[in-house]
Amino acid sequence: MLGSGFNFFSIGLDILSIFPTGSRTFIFDQIFSVFLYLGTLVGVVVIAYMVIQAYRYREGSNLDSSEEDRPKLGELPPHSTDGKKLIKSLLLSAVVVIALVVWTYGSLLYVEQTPTQVEDSLTVGVEAYQFGFIFTYPDGHTSTGVLRAPENKVVILHITSRDVLHNFGSADLRMKADAVPGQISETWFIAESTGTYQAACYELCGAGHSYMNAEIIIMEDSEFELWNATKTNG
Amino acid sequence: MKETYQTDGGHSDGHGLPPMYSIKRWLVTTNHKDIGILYIITSLFFLVMGGVLALLIRLQLWLPRDPGEGILSAFAYNQSVTAHGLIMVFWFLSPFAFGFANYIVPLQIGARDLAFPRLNALSYWLYLISGILLGVSFFQGGTFNGGWTVYAPLNLPTFTPQIGATSAVLALFIFSVAITAGSVNFLTTIHRMRAKGMTLLNMPLFTWTILLTVWMMLFAFASLLAALMILSSDRILGTTYFSGTGTQGSLLWTHLFWFFGHPEVYIVFFPALGAMAEIFQTFTGRRIVGRKWFIAALVLVTIQSFAVWMHHMFLTGINLEVKTIFMITTIGISLPFDLMVFSLIYTLLKGKIQFTTPFLFAFGGLILFIIGGITGVFLGAVVLDYEFRGTYWVVAHFHYVMVGGVTGLIAGIYYWYPKITGKMYDEFIGKISFILYFIGFNLLYFPLFIAWETPRRVFTYHPSLIPWHQIATIGAFILALSFAIMLYNFYKSLFDGEDAPDSPWKYASTLEWSLPSPPPLENWEGTPTYENGFLEFLPEKKIKTDGGETIHEK
């Protein structure tokens, strides 16, 4: 299902196939779950280690060694010699973090390059204003607050703002971009099933910010074609 | 400073300063310890103010609201989120840390006062005035309501016409001036007035973090000050630098703001880190593992902090090359922090750990910082950042980091309370306050990770997230209760606490613990020196014959 929409366009990133590619929802969910799994693991291990060691070396425990050289009032810090373990741990954590982020970089390239590489797409202009969104279709038709698009098709958005800095994003479709006055930001999404998705402004823009929403209605291809043909008449 | 030697005797209340119970004393003082106390108390007032706003926000978020529902109107809600951010970041966190810095840093390095005591007093009074102005701005048609990031062009009178919004901008402006004056003062003090033998590398870690903080302040606040000057000109003189029609205005502001804003994260966090390091050392009875590396990591972060600001702008349409560079620098800056965390953890090993209240807060603060750090790596991956931006993931992450920092500073206030007041705090109530704090904190902020799809700064959200937001609201009140108990502890102990010895802590090593609690006005008789590798006080006679302060001897 996921790959089906993508067989017909070349993304030129075959070499990066170990990185998640596909819809933005798919990419996000893949990467997020790996991060979440590893992050939880690292967090639990590190915090458990801390708590256990702090308990083991509490004052009065049987590990309490009185021979240890303790800090004294008025001393200057002596030269520390125990840096090796520290550097080893640092290198280990660096490898994990860098590997993770490099792994996601391929997906970033894919997300960035998709709009220029797909052959069959729908481009819609989004103009944000206090407090709503206007969508402009390729034929010049405009609608306020509702964006209609066909399923399984890359929808490219050209986002700008009429007044202040806004943001157009949809958590459902894992898509988001700033709406900067005087500038066009480009982003894209692909919806794999029909239905109504929520979109909202993600940048504080004034008193009506909390209600600056829009709907993205995803229709079957034929249904969309029908709507597309009739809207210009009406 | 010559006149300080003309009065004889009565070191605790002499030198023409009125006694501590007199209000006049606090108006005329230039003594670093007095000003430290003023900073701490004033910043705690702002903590309460910012905290009340936070509780209002959490109450509004109890349920997703329609316009006009709940205790806050849409306009009041926007003012609350904005002022909460501004107050906590500017008027609480840094001044709270600099209360300790004022009190402790001169003691730790063996300086009798800051380099410019009057300038120090000026910094404090400008800080207080700016804070009062911000408070007043609420009653001038509403305070600024465009978020603590003050993004353009929403920050222009066209979109935020309230007089109070202009007042808030001016308050920030005055605050930045106060900070800049303060940073120059601390730089001079720490670089020029250390006791003999106290080299830079020998400095206690708290002083180290303050030194690096003021270096960052010097450059970062310059950028903010520039931005605020232009903005004030736009708001008051009618210029149009951040005009609403062009892209230049809004992007110019984001660059200027975040060039300040990212170092600011470390500006508020570093002092907490320094306090935590000292507290770990004192209560584990172990010197910080790899101290040299710890300092190197701090220095590295200080420099790198000025090269990551555009990771706040990944969605503004910057090109892939720039995104890549800032993704690399962002991952790069997380690594020195890994080292510091490991260093603190390894310090526990072979320790003789006393679970006092300050240690519990420092230990808890480290746990919270680790969670904040791990969730920050998620944001470092740009593909994930695209979706997290503007959501509660970011909110939860930076509260774990920043309020994790607050936790470290609370450890600091318990740690130095006996030194500053001469009284011991109540250990039992202290531990109760820690337990409530830690539970409240995690109930408040952890559910926000789960409810991350909530957009920031809105009070409508998907009904499926209601339980998580309600847990967070309950957590907020538990956290607030723990602060109330802490303040009660400090107030009560002031009157019926046991008298504190010079050093109530067995393994304290820094200079301030060799002085009486509280230290006398002049800190010490004679001249502290580390010339022979340990702390000594040279007899006072020597100073008198030299006829001046020891710094001149250098």
Side-chain angles (χ1 to χ4, degrees), chain B residues 255 310-311 314 318-329:
Chain B
H255 280 292
M310 277 170 79
H311 72 212
F314 281 149
I318 51 179
N319 66 34
L320 182 62
E321 290 76 9
V322 177
K323 277 177 191 163
T324 307
I325 290 169
F326 279 86
M327 185 187 88
I328 293 168
T329 58

Side-chain angles (χ1 to χ4, degrees), chain B residues 92-107:
Chain B
F92 165 59
L93 257 163
S94 274
F96 189 51
F98 271 75
F100 300 127
N102 260 282
Y103 203 103
I104 301 298
V105 164
L107 299 182

Side-chain angles (χ1 to χ4, degrees), chain B residues 107-370:
Chain B
L107 299 182
Q108 286 195 334
I109 63 172
R112 212 170 272 280
D113 203 322
L114 284 174
F116 313 111
R118 287 181 188 209
L119 186 66
N120 191 28
L122 179 71
S123 287
Y124 169 75
W125 291 106
L126 284 177
Y127 155 59
L128 180 64
I129 289 167
S130 69
I132 292 172
L133 184 59
L134 185 80
V136 167
S137 72
F138 279 96
F139 305 100
Q140 295 175 315
T143 188
F144 187 73
N145 45 78
W148 85 279
T149 48
V150 200
Y151 274 173
L154 187 60
N155 57 11
L156 296 178
T158 325
F159 303 107
T160 44
Q162 303 80 15
I163 295 171
T166 306
S167 298
V169 170
L170 286 178
L172 260 183
F173 185 108
I174 298 170
F175 181 85
S176 305
V177 172
I179 287 278
T180 306
S183 58
V184 170
N185 208 344
F186 273 94
L187 283 174
T188 315
T189 309
I190 299 175
H191 281 295
R192 305 295 305 157
M193 292 170 66
R194 298 191 307 275
K196 277 191 180 167
M198 171 68 73
T199 60
L200 278 178
L201 268 179
N202 282 339
M203 289 195 314
L205 287 171
F206 180 69
T207 299
W208 253 111
T209 53
I210 294 296
L211 175 64
L212 295 171
T213 301
V214 289
W215 272 115
M216 283 190 283
M217 279 178 163
L218 190 68
F219 293 104
F221 273 86
S223 177
L224 180 67
L225 199 55
L228 289 168
M229 280 164 130
I230 306 173
L231 179 59
S232 303
S233 161
D234 274 7
R235 290 195 69 98
I236 298 167
L237 305 177
T239 54
T240 55
Y241 290 103
F242 295 123
S243 88
T245 49
T247 160
Q248 302 84 357
S250 40
L251 286 190
L252 173 64
W253 177 270
T254 34
H255 280 292
L256 287 175
F257 182 84
W258 286 115
F259 187 78
F260 147 79
H262 201 82
E264 171 69 6
V265 175
Y266 305 121
I267 287 171
V268 299
F269 189 73
F270 262 31
L273 198 56
M276 279 158 65
E278 301 235 337
I279 291 164
F280 262 68
Q281 174 159 299
T282 297
F283 294 105
T284 59
R286 286 259 294 150
R287 299 183 188 88
I288 292 295
V289 169
R291 190 174 188 278
K292 255 188 319 193
W293 294 104
F294 196 94
I295 294 171
L298 287 170
V299 174
L300 211 56
V301 169
T302 305
I303 296 164
Q304 284 177 292
S305 72
F306 289 95
V308 295
W309 81 94
M310 277 170 79
H311 72 212
H312 298 271
M313 301 167 62
F314 281 149
L315 288 181
T316 54
I318 51 179
N319 66 34
L320 182 62
E321 290 76 9
V322 177
K323 277 177 191 163
T324 307
I325 290 169
F326 279 86
M327 185 187 88
I328 293 168
T329 58
T330 300
I331 293 307
I333 206 166
S334 76
L335 299 178
F337 279 109
D338 290 1
L339 187 139
M340 290 188 262
V341 167
F342 287 128
S343 166
L344 289 177
I345 292 176
Y346 292 148
T347 301
L348 298 167
L349 305 183
K350 296 188 202 150
K352 206 173 169 183
I353 303 168
Q354 304 160 54
F355 286 89
T356 56
T357 308
F359 181 76
L360 285 173
F361 271 99
F363 190 78
L366 186 60
I367 292 179
L368 301 174
F369 181 66
I370 289 171

Side-chain angles (χ1 to χ4, degrees), chain A residues 79-151:
Chain A
H79 288 290
S80 53
T81 51
D82 37 9
K84 254 186 198 162
K85 194 174 175 186
L86 209 53
I87 301 299
K88 272 186 205 156
S89 313
L90 173 69
L91 289 178
L92 184 69
S93 75
V95 167
V96 173
V97 170
I98 292 171
L100 266 180
V101 174
V102 167
W103 172 66
T104 67
Y105 190 70
S107 296
L108 174 65
L109 292 180
Y110 172 82
V111 168
E112 291 279 315
Q113 288 168 5
T114 293
T116 57
Q117 306 217 353
V118 287
E119 283 148 17
D120 184 25
S121 64
L122 170 71
T123 302
V124 181
V126 182
E127 189 185 36
Y129 62 93
Q130 285 180 323
F131 298 98
F133 299 98
I134 294 178
F135 303 99
T136 309
Y137 295 86
D139 60 4
H141 174 80
T142 61
S143 72
T144 302
V146 180
L147 168 64
R148 287 171 195 272
E151 64 176 331

Side-chain angles (χ1 to χ4, degrees), chain B residues 432-452:
Chain B
I432 298 281
S433 88
F434 169 75
I435 292 166
L436 283 176
Y437 181 97
F438 201 72
I439 293 172
F441 182 109
N442 287 295
L443 279 183
L444 169 54
Y445 298 120
F446 202 82
L448 304 186
F449 282 122
I450 302 166
W452 72 267

